[in-house]
Every structure is written in structure tokens, then in C-alpha cells.
């Protein structure tokens, strides 16, 4: 079963337990009230045999009702205990499944990070091997070919939150134009193409 299925099971059992506890509280209240009614029946010393018989019958009815309510409460308590045991078991399985899914997601994320880092490293290595020819261009074309970014920031993904994000912010505060994956790569983009474009349009890496 998935974590979502276990969560639904836990939620269902929580609702069933709450309903049973409500019924048990009602049964306990009824048992207490019936016992009070039985205790409140007053038989005077001068009561006739018929009155005494009627009063005793009334006491018995209240005591019987109290007993039945008490038995109902005990039965409900047993059901509550069984439901709680099932709920605790389902919750333990839920936690294990959540941990397993979290580890799976972390592994997938790490694989993606490693793939992106290798892509950065391979592309930079390719550029280092390439010899850039010296060409003469017109002033208009030269302007068109001018880099759009001062720097291209390549970084290890584990350093993104602890260093790279803040480093890029500080560069931008100084008026330095920065190519940074978080800003330039969008969902659906070709990661390789965007990186190539950024490297080609940056003065320094």
C-alpha cells in the first residue's frame, strides 16, 4: 500500500474511533442517570403492598436499564481498543512508507542534481578544448555578439542554498549581470541548450 492509502486508513479509523467514543459517552451518561433514578425512588414506611411492589418494579427497571447501558459501554470500549490498535498499526506503516517515499524522492533529486552537475562540467570542458578563431566583424555585428552577461555562475548543487544564492544576489547588487540557472532555466526548457546559450553569452565563468 502507498502512503496515501495508509493515510486514508488512519483518517477513517480516527473517525470511527471518534464515533464510538461519542456513543460510549452517551451510554455512560444513560447508565449514570438510570442509577440515579433507581436511587431516587422513595418507598414510605406506610406504603401499601401494591405501592411497594410498584416502586420495586420501577427500581428494577432503572437498574436493568443502567446495567444494559453499562454493558453497551463496555462493548463499545472493547471496539474502541480494537480500532485504536488497528489505527496505531496503520500509522506505523504510514510512517515507514512516508520514509521510504522520501528516500526515493531524495535519490531521484540527487540523480538529477548529479546529472546537471555533470552537464555543467562536460560543457565547460568542451569549451576549454575549443580554440576561438579571431575574426573581423563590423561594428554593428560586434555589438550583436557582445555577451549579455558579465559572469556565468557554475556551482555544486549542495552549495546552492548555503552559498550560491547569496553570492549571486551580492553580485547583482554590485550591478554585475549574472547567468544563474534558477533565473534562466524554466520548466520545459532544454537544459543543455540553455546552459550553452548562457556560456556563449557570458564574459567569464
Amino acid at each position: 500500500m502507498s502512503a496515501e492509502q495508509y493515510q486514508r486508513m488512519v483518517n477513517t479509523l480516527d473517525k470511527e474511533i471518534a464515533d464510538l467514543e461519542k456513543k460510549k459517552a452517551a451510554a455512560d451518561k444513560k447508565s449514570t442517570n438510570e442509577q440515579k433514578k433507581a436511587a431516587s425512588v422513595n418507598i414510605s414506611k406506610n406504603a401499601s403492598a401494591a405501592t411497594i411492589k410498584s416502586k420495586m418494579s420501577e427500581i428494577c427497571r432503572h437498574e436493568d436499564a443502567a446495567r444494559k447501558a453499562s454493558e453497551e459501554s463496555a462493548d463499545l470500549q472493547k471496539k474502541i481498543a480494537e480500532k485504536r490498535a488497528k489505527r496505531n498499526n496503520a500509522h506505523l506503516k504510514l510512517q515507514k512508507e512516508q520514509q521510504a517515499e522520501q528516500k526515493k524522492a531524495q535519490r531521484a533529486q540527487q540523480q538529477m542534481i548529479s546529472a546537471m552537475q555533470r552537464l555543467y562540467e562536460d560543457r565547460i570542458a568542451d569549451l576549454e578544448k575549443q580554440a576561438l578563431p579571431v575574426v573581423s566583424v563590423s561594428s554593428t555585428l560586434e555589438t550583436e555578439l557582445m555577451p549579455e552577461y558579465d559572469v556565468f555562475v557554475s556551482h555544486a548543487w549542495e552549495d546552492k542554498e548555503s552559498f550560491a544564492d547569496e553570492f549571486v544576489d551580492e553580485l547583482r547588487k554590485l550591478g554585475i549581470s549574472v547567468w544563474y540557472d534558477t533565473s534562466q532555466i524554466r520548466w520545459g526548457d532544454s537544459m543543455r541548450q540553455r546552459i550553452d546559450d548562457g556560456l556563449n553569452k557570458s564574459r567569464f565563468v
Side-chain angles (χ1 to χ4, degrees), residues 169-184:
D169 287 341
E170 292 300 322
L171 289 175
R172 286 173 175 163
K173 288 177 183 178
L174 295 173
I176 298 173
S177 61
V178 182
W179 190 101
Y180 190 47
D181 59 350
T182 302
S183 305
Q184 270 69 39

Side-chain angles (χ1 to χ4, degrees), residues 112-122 155-158:
M112 182 189 71
I113 290 172
S114 297
M116 285 193 69
Q117 190 166 355
R118 286 194 298 272
L119 188 60
Y120 274 127
E121 294 169 351
D122 291 346
H155 60 89
W157 278 83
E158 58 267 25

Side-chain angles (χ1 to χ4, degrees), residues 8 10-11 19 41 49 82 88 103 124 127 129 184 187:
R8 285 200 296 269
V10 169
N11 293 342
D19 290 340
V41 175
E82 292 173 351
N88 291 339
K103 289 179 180 178
I124 291 172
L127 289 174
K129 293 176 182 178
Q184 270 69 39
W187 285 109

